[in-house]
Amino acid sequence: MSGIEKPAIEKIESEKQRYSPSEIEPKWQTRWDADASLYAAEGHDSGKPKYYCLEMLPYPSGALHMGHVRNYAIGDALARHMWMRGFNVLHPMGWDAFGLPAENAALKNKVPPRQWTLANVAAMKVQMRRMGLSYDWSTEVTTCLPDYYRWNQWFFLKMFEKGLAYRKKSKVNWCPECQTVLANEQVVGGCCWRHEDTVVEQRDLTQWFFRITRYADELLQGLDKLEGWPEKVRTMQRNWIGRSEGALVDFSVAGSDAKVTVFTTRVDTIFGATSVQLAPEHAVSKAFALEDDALRIQIEELLEQQKKARETDALGAIEKHGVFTGRYAINPFNGERVPIWVANYILADYGTGAIMSVPAHDERDFEFAQKYALPMRRVIAPNVDTNDLALPYTGEDEAVLIDSGEWTGENCLEAQEKMAAFAKSKGFGTPTVTYRLKDWGVSRQRYWGTPIPMVYCDTCSPDEPLPVSESELPILLPEQIDITQTNGSPLGRVAEFVNAKCPRCGGAARRETDTMDTFVDSSWYFYRYTDAKNSTAPFDSDKANYWFPIDQYIGGVEHAILHLIYSRFWTKVMRDLGLINNDEPAERLFTQGMVIKDGAKMSKSKGNVVSPDLMIERYGADATRMYALFAAPPDRDLEWQEEGVAGISRFLSRVHRLVTKYAATCATPNAPSESSETSAGQALLRRLHQTIAKITHDFDGRWHFNTSISSIMILVNEITANESAMDAGEVSPSAMAEVLRGLTLLLAPFAPFLAAELWETMGGNGVVFRTQWPIANEDLAREDEVEIPVQVNGKLVNVVKVPAESDEATVKSAALADAKVIARIEGKTVVKVIVVPGKLVNLVVK
Ligand code: ANZ
Ligand code: ZN
Ligand code: ZN
């Protein structure tokens, strides 16, 4: 650029002194963008240990929100830190780009979903770059593009081959708003996970499922080994899988050849069964209903009540109702006839949909029996003398069977095993395990998702769908489509899509018009990052095996069940297909807290959203990111306060002023280290090394980055306090250089733009994030003296200084020699002196 008048030299100097993120940050962003290798992962042969740092990929809604900023600030700090610790880091990013919002936006704005989505991706990428996030964009994954979703189709075919993908008619959750089926995991409190006020309905449809239940036991057991996952996530998954050990027992229906198989976890209580209870939808209930109109109407009513309760998730608290069918069942253990009832609290899709009711030993059965005056019979007693014989009695550990024929006197837990085995030997039952986990329903009657690669041929395979051949993949999603009609599956209206050739007979066939649940996309995207351009396989196994498992996965706890169970399942399927060696996707998982504003979760619907762009414009990306790390420990909720961002910005400007002021000194190459450093110099070095130790420890351990950042602030205060000493030449240049370089390196993971700028200003070699992370020198970090608060009767009187690591006697005499303390205890008797080593002295006086 020419023709611009040069301002006065002084002006340039003063400008240079001022911290101006709006100049520094874009300047560095341009440089970083120009260097494709800067954040690129190296190959297996890098010779460094690998570190896979992953943040959950966003849905491209069009703009980042503060929750993203927080998530990415954590991941970015970690990735930069690991680079500085000498690791080969993979730090990728992508887009979870299929899903309903694109269709809704298309309806509203008349823009095709693909165009809308890709425009949003572009806009959010600009924001991510502006934030200075260290992603390796060469591995970017966009799930709505055919080069990615073709592998969803490929996996689908593999799963179909293995019997892991199958079709069945089932009751499905239907969101009338989304006009689609939802997985169980997507129903929250009886409502759609995307529409909190829309009650999910039950419909009977033929749907595609993934047989996740085949892995139920492994998914459960694997949780014990995931020590790097938050306990709350593991507990949520355990409950979701819901494993129950018990027995199946057949009761025959008196006067017919029908039987009712019940599922019970307490077969030891079977002599106390006083009725059999069926779900309203149980086949035997239905059969009875056919014979008796009055009964049918009552059963239908019970079903209605159950559906209502299910919709509002109040099933546990349902007001229990039931109806006696007039029929009896025979208890195979004692030959007793017990009445058969139908009840609204028995679910058709858990266990067998039928139970034996034992009112004396089960809360719900007790409540039900009281209401309908059904008999109760005690068959379990505590193993110790007790007067507490109140019912229901639900103990089993220290309890024994009574009034139970030949089983009387047995311990409950042992009896459970023995009686189940006995039932099996007699052919009327078996030990069994039941899970709450259901197979994963993956069909969606929507357009913007991966087409399911199956066809229907009436000629050669009227009953069974046929897989398309692998060579035909990808089955492309048609781009020209009318999605303004909302009834039925949009793909069903595109003739060019629907009409296919039968892979078996070559005749005319119909394509499947359902698309896959978008959770399919996010179940394995992180494997694709290891080999994102592969056009012949989802990824190269060697590459995946080098990077996996993910060392650290970071995201929101809202994914504790859905995404994190599906991806664990997918990992096991891929392992069994021979594609990878690992059993679990991620070694460690971190779930960050929410960003809240004025006491409520930041969200569009609450109208309390703070735009990251605005914060960046006002205070810079460094201040915005650093505030997101500083304002709360990462696992806690964070209340966004703009004054806090302003405060961080002022802090960064102090750092900028200090380092710039002494930049020339810092550049002093390898100044000889002083053996006789002044006390100011020693104090500075001590604080620096304490700070290094603390932050290194934080990165290794609990990630309390808020306190990491406060320790940097304390270091900066120490430097400021010693400014006049530094100006007077009382601190050696080598100490100053070490402290200011150290400060800049410590800042690099949190405020990368400013760190890069200061590093350059002080003449640092190479790229700051690729510079070795400083190592704490314990000798330098050690305190010579420590300050010990002295209390008299629990009230603070003064603080005394003692040599570090003094023994109790030394601390005690220092406390008793202090003038203020002496004045306070004058005329009183010291009854006791309590010394908490290194922490405090308390004198108890009278
Ligand atoms: C008799 C019994 C006696 C039971 C007793 C419990 C205590 P979890 O542990 O959650 O798996 N049950 C079985 N199927 C059911 C269904 N479809 N709807 C409602 N309840 C059902 O619970 C298993 C217990 O829940 C089973 O053991 C059964 O009641 C009931 F002293 O059988 B139990
Ligand atoms: Zn919905
Ligand atoms: Zn055919």
Side-chain angles (χ1 to χ4, degrees), residues 360-606:
H361 302 295
D362 181 83
E363 305 273 359
R364 289 183 306 170
D365 297 348
F366 180 82
E367 200 188 308
F368 191 85
Q370 269 197 323
K371 175 166 180 179
Y372 290 102
L374 293 173
M376 306 194 188
R377 190 186 303 149
R378 178 174 199 118
V379 292
I380 305 291
N383 204 1
V384 285
D385 279 342
T386 173
N387 298 321
D388 174 24
L389 290 177
L391 293 182
Y393 172 72
T394 58
E396 58 178 351
D397 281 4
E398 295 292 315
V400 292
L401 275 62
I402 58 173
D403 290 334
S404 296
E406 56 185 300
W407 306 94
T408 299
E410 292 269 358
N411 160 277
C412 285
L413 297 178
E414 282 167 24
Q416 282 163 24
E417 271 182 38
K418 288 186 190 167
M419 293 169 84
F422 175 77
K424 183 164 184 161
S425 72
K426 296 287 174 195
F428 59 74
T430 182
T432 190
V433 176
T434 292
Y435 297 91
R436 233 159 256 287
L437 181 71
K438 297 273 174 307
D439 280 339
W440 172 13
V442 293
S443 298
R444 297 291 178 273
Q445 290 68 46
R446 303 304 325 168
Y447 161 65
W448 194 232
T450 304
I452 293 176
M454 302 293 294
V455 299
Y456 300 90
C457 176
D458 293 333
T459 320
C460 74
S461 181
D463 300 323
E464 282 302 314
L466 298 168
V468 307
S469 83
E470 245 178 63
S471 61
E472 260 190 76
L473 300 184
I475 304 301
L476 288 173
L477 196 57
E479 290 193 20
Q480 294 307 320
I481 185 156
D482 172 21
I483 51 170
T484 54
Q485 281 172 271
T486 49
N487 60 314
S489 173
L491 284 177
R493 293 190 294 269
V494 184
E496 311 85 82
F497 178 83
V498 176
N499 298 327
K501 209 168 94 178
C502 171
R504 189 183 287 172
C505 72
R510 274 171 301 115
R511 240 179 240 302
E512 171 63 81
T513 56
D514 284 358
T515 52
M516 296 182 206
D517 181 6
T518 57
F519 278 97
V520 168
D521 308 319
S522 53
S523 291
W524 70 279
Y525 73 100
F526 33 68
Y527 288 93
R528 182 73 179 168
Y529 284 145
T530 66
D531 194 15
K533 304 271 186 319
N534 198 325
S535 59
T536 57
F539 51 82
D540 176 81
S541 293
D542 287 343
K543 290 186 179 157
N545 284 334
Y546 170 73
W547 286 109
F548 271 79
I550 296 159
D551 292 275
Q552 183 68 61
Y553 197 12
I554 307 162
V557 74
E558 64 274 19
H559 297 294
I561 297 178
L562 292 152
H563 163 57
L564 289 169
I565 273 201
Y566 295 150
S567 21
R568 293 183 60 222
F569 161 66
W570 209 280
T571 289
K572 292 170 197 304
V573 171
M574 294 201 306
R575 177 204 59 199
D576 291 347
L577 288 170
L579 294 173
I580 51 171
N581 295 334
N582 51 300
D583 298 322
E584 296 285 349
E587 187 90 12
R588 277 186 303 281
L589 170 72
F590 186 87
T591 51
Q592 96 241 22
M594 280 187 309
V595 180
I596 51 186
K597 173 92 177 112
D598 311 323
K601 179 177 176 175
M602 228 187 236
S603 79
K604 253 192 210 148
S605 62
K606 301 235 165 55

Side-chain angles (χ1 to χ4, degrees), residues 237-443:
Q237 292 208 0
R238 266 187 206 110
N239 293 340
W240 187 261
I241 296 167
R243 181 179 197 273
S244 256
E245 264 178 52
L248 299 178
V249 181
D250 301 334
F251 284 64
S252 48
V253 178
S256 91
D257 355 314
K259 64 174 185 179
V260 172
T261 304
V262 305
F263 168 65
T264 176
T265 49
R266 293 295 307 269
V267 65
D268 55 319
T269 65
I270 198 163
F271 284 75
T274 55
S275 67
V276 160
Q277 304 278 344
L278 306 177
E281 290 171 288
H282 193 281
V284 172
S285 310
K286 285 183 181 161
F288 291 169
L290 281 180
E291 296 163 9
D292 180 341
D293 259 354
L295 183 63
R296 180 177 53 78
I297 291 164
Q298 284 174 294
I299 292 178
E300 277 166 9
E301 230 166 80
L302 294 169
L303 181 59
E304 270 319 300
Q305 293 158 2
Q306 187 175 80
K307 275 190 180 166
K308 275 228 180 68
R310 227 188 242 256
E311 280 166 3
T312 56
D313 224 21
L315 208 56
I318 190 172
E319 182 172 350
K320 296 177 184 56
H321 293 291
V323 55
F324 174 46
T325 61
R327 312 290 286 267
Y328 292 84
I330 315 287
N331 182 338
F333 272 85
N334 58 9
E336 192 176 354
R337 271 164 61 101
V338 293
I340 302 178
W341 286 63
V342 176
N344 65 357
Y345 70 99
I346 310 299
L347 300 170
D349 57 2
Y350 185 64
T352 58
I355 68 159
M356 61 176 197
S357 174
V358 185
H361 302 295
D362 181 83
E363 305 273 359
R364 289 183 306 170
D365 297 348
F366 180 82
E367 200 188 308
F368 191 85
Q370 269 197 323
K371 175 166 180 179
Y372 290 102
L374 293 173
M376 306 194 188
R377 190 186 303 149
R378 178 174 199 118
V379 292
I380 305 291
N383 204 1
V384 285
D385 279 342
T386 173
N387 298 321
D388 174 24
L389 290 177
L391 293 182
Y393 172 72
T394 58
E396 58 178 351
D397 281 4
E398 295 292 315
V400 292
L401 275 62
I402 58 173
D403 290 334
S404 296
E406 56 185 300
W407 306 94
T408 299
E410 292 269 358
N411 160 277
C412 285
L413 297 178
E414 282 167 24
Q416 282 163 24
E417 271 182 38
K418 288 186 190 167
M419 293 169 84
F422 175 77
K424 183 164 184 161
S425 72
K426 296 287 174 195
F428 59 74
T430 182
T432 190
V433 176
T434 292
Y435 297 91
R436 233 159 256 287
L437 181 71
K438 297 273 174 307
D439 280 339
W440 172 13
V442 293
S443 298

